[in-house]
Amino acid sequence: MKIMFYCEHGQIPNIGMGHLYRCKELEKLLKAKGHKTEFMEDDILYNDINVLVIDHLDSQKGLIERTKKANIKTVLIDGDQEDAAKVDLSISAVLNS
């Protein structure tokens, strides 16, 4: 299975590297299980992926819509409620959000 990561990290002064570190740890685990992984530099979708992991606080509505049209499973980490309702799996550290 090919899994792609899209995460925010250090792109603006108040965004740290936590999203990237979290995704890098997930990548290690997935590679150990035999999966192929890749990181996106922008929100361009590639056709040969099975799962897209989005770790981004801002809404990714357009990217999520494109993954649905391409039949790519989508995992959202720490996204907003509206986006969370549109993905296959939403993981949030915030309870009752």
Side-chain angles (χ1 to χ4, degrees):
M1 184 178 302
K2 187 166 182 184
I3 301 163
M4 187 164 284
F5 291 89
Y6 179 63
C7 63
E8 64 183 347
H9 58 281
Q11 297 153 331
I12 55 176
N14 61 345
I15 301 291
M17 300 296 284
H19 298 274
L20 178 63
Y21 293 142
R22 176 169 45 202
C23 287
K24 285 296 205 179
E25 288 301 313
L26 282 171
E27 179 189 37
K28 284 181 200 175
L29 294 170
L30 292 165
K31 280 187 170 184
K33 296 283 186 182
H35 299 290
K36 295 178 184 177
T37 63
E38 199 171 316
F39 278 80
M40 296 173 70
E41 293 299 320
D42 49 36
D43 70 351
I44 298 171
L45 264 184
Y46 302 91
N47 292 328
D48 62 341
I49 64 171
N50 305 102
V51 178
L52 175 65
V53 177
I54 302 171
D55 191 343
H56 209 290
L57 292 174
D58 294 332
S59 177
Q60 297 300 313
K61 219 169 283 173
L63 182 57
I64 292 168
E65 288 172 3
R66 290 196 307 278
T67 62
K68 288 293 181 190
K69 287 179 185 173
N71 291 320
I72 297 168
K73 297 291 183 192
T74 308
V75 177
L76 180 65
I77 302 173
D78 284 346
D80 66 26
Q81 277 187 322
E82 189 177 333
D83 286 351
K86 297 176 183 175
V87 297
D88 297 291
L89 176 63
S90 177
I91 302 167
S92 178
V94 180
L95 296 176
N96 299 319
S97 58

